[in-house]
Amino acid sequence: MSIIDFPGNKNSQQNSNKQKNKDENTIPSQKPYLVRAIYDWCSDYGYKPYLAVAVDKFTRVPNEFVSNGQIVLNINREAVNKLEISNDYVYFWARFSGVESEIFIPIGRVIAIYAKENGVGMQFMPEDSPYDDDDNNPNNPNLTIRKILTFSND
C-alpha cells in the first residue's frame, strides 16, 4: 500500500509537516487498528474472534500449546480477562487446562485474526518485535517499571 498526497489537497501541507517530524521511511503500523476492527466486528455479530500468533522470545504464552512456532488463541470476551489491544501489544489473562495464564503478544507477532465460525478475518506478515532493543524488552532484568496503572470496568 502506498500513501498518495495530491497537490492542492487542503491537508497536503499539514500532512507534509507531520511526515517531516517522523523518520522518512517509517509509516505507523495499521495492524493494531485492523486487529481491533476485526475484533469489534466479531464481537458485534456474535462471532468468536481467534488470534493466530507467531511465537518468539518476547511472546508470553503457555509453551505447551505452541505448535510449529505458532499458537491460536480464543480472545472472545467470555474466554479472556482484562483484554487490551494496544498499538504495541495484545495483553490478557486466560485459562489453559484450568490454569490461569498471563498472555503478552507484541502486535507485530499477530499473524491473523478471524471469526471461528466462518473464517472471515485478516492475515498479516509477522514483524520483528520492537523489544529487540534491550532497553524496551519487558524481559530485560535491568528494566525498571516506574508505574503500573490499572483500570476498573466499574
Side-chain angles (χ1 to χ4, degrees), residues 53-141:
V53 177
V55 177
D56 70 359
K57 65 183 178 178
F58 303 111
T59 307
R60 280 188 256 149
V61 296
N63 287 326
E64 60 270 25
F65 297 99
V66 175
S67 177
N68 297 320
Q70 297 181 356
I71 189 168
V72 176
L73 302 161
N74 176 359
I75 59 169
N76 191 26
R77 287 187 176 118
E78 288 81 31
V80 301
N81 290 314
K82 300 180 183 177
L83 176 65
E84 181 181 350
I85 304 173
S86 82
N87 289 349
D88 299 317
Y89 58 84
V90 177
Y91 173 86
F92 57 91
W93 286 84
R95 291 194 172 276
F96 295 85
S97 299
V99 178
E100 191 171 42
S101 298
E102 183 179 35
I103 307 300
F104 177 84
I105 303 156
I107 199 73
R109 305 311 293 169
V110 173
I111 56 176
I113 182 167
Y114 60 93
K116 177 188 178 198
E117 294 78 3
N118 57 21
V120 174
M122 190 169 280
Q123 290 183 322
F124 308 96
M125 295 297 296
E127 302 163 7
D128 291 335
S129 174
Y131 304 110
D132 285 342
D133 174 10
D134 277 343
D135 291 337
N136 292 323
N137 177 354
N139 297 320
N140 181 351

Side-chain angles (χ1 to χ4, degrees), residues 27-47:
I27 296 175
S29 176
Q30 296 172 343
K31 185 186 285 190
Y33 300 92
L34 297 169
V35 168
R36 285 190 292 267
I38 299 294
Y39 175 85
D40 288 343
W41 175 81
C42 287
S43 298
D44 288 351
Y45 289 97
Y47 299 127

